[in-house]
Amino acid sequence: MATQRDLHKLACLEPLGLQLLVAHRTLPGAAPSPPRVPVMRGSPVAAAPQQPAERPARIAPPPPVIPAARPLATSLSPPPSTAVRSDTAKPAVAPAVTFSIVSIVAGGCLWLHSADGGDLPADELQLMRAMGFARAVRAGGRREGALPPTRFDWPMHTNRQLDLGEEAAAAALTGFVLRQLRDRDCHGLVLLGERAGQYLLQPELDGVRTVRLPACAEMIAAPALKRDAWLALLALEH
């Protein structure tokens, strides 16, 4: 009887025109084999029985990965801030200063007097003009008309974003004085009182002849100071 293997061989060799040969007797030296019935060419070949397909083995899913336990935080403090700080520190804003200066032109000089309390009293303004007139007469000049005073107030604005400190005040007041000296054709500067020249930049006024006198209120209260003030004014003529 032909085995399933013989039928498979026949099915493979028949399309190629080859014949499957079967030995009728045991060949010398060959291993004994069970007798087989030769299968003739052209004989129907039984279809090989189909074996049920084996189901693929079910693959077990991998075990879940359990993260390692983290130690509990022992501190309730917030994490360090990751904000990047600027290497360039903001410049400190200088404190604002406040003052007022009253200026007049008399006797060829520019006269400055502090007026922090408001308007300069009339008697103090009259004393300034009288000293200027006496100096003009001594110099041989003609009598000048009384020009209205000019007032300089600091701060000149209320914008806190701009510098209102001493340096800005000194630069502004010095610029004001230099313009007055140039525009009024003054050849001397008279400072009355300690605060009159407090915020002036002295290096900018090196070429200007300057005289410091007591405040008008002090000379009115102590008339003897007027003599010293007059002698100081005479130094401007040399």
Side-chain angles (χ1 to χ4, degrees), residues 186-234:
C186 299
H187 57 268
L189 178 62
V190 182
L191 305 177
L192 294 100
E194 295 181 357
R195 291 181 57 83
Q198 179 179 358
Y199 297 105
L200 287 177
L201 298 177
Q202 296 301 328
E204 302 293 334
L205 301 172
D206 284 344
V208 180
R209 290 182 296 176
T210 304
V211 172
R212 296 181 180 273
L213 303 179
C216 290
E218 298 176 0
M219 289 188 287
I220 294 175
L225 295 177
K226 297 179 182 179
R227 177 179 176 83
D228 298 334
W230 179 251
L231 295 178
L233 287 174
L234 295 179

Side-chain angles (χ1 to χ4, degrees), residues 133-186:
F133 170 73
R135 186 181 181 282
V137 172
R138 178 180 175 80
R142 61 183 180 86
R143 183 173 182 176
E144 300 173 351
L147 299 176
T150 304
R151 187 181 182 91
F152 177 90
D153 295 314
W154 184 265
M156 305 173 65
H157 52 77
T158 58
N159 189 353
R160 298 294 300 176
Q161 296 181 351
L162 301 179
D163 188 5
L164 304 178
E166 293 186 5
E167 294 184 0
L173 179 59
T174 304
F176 167 79
V177 170
L178 291 175
R179 288 192 300 272
Q180 291 289 319
L181 291 172
R182 180 188 66 244
D183 297 343
R184 302 294 184 90
D185 193 21
C186 299

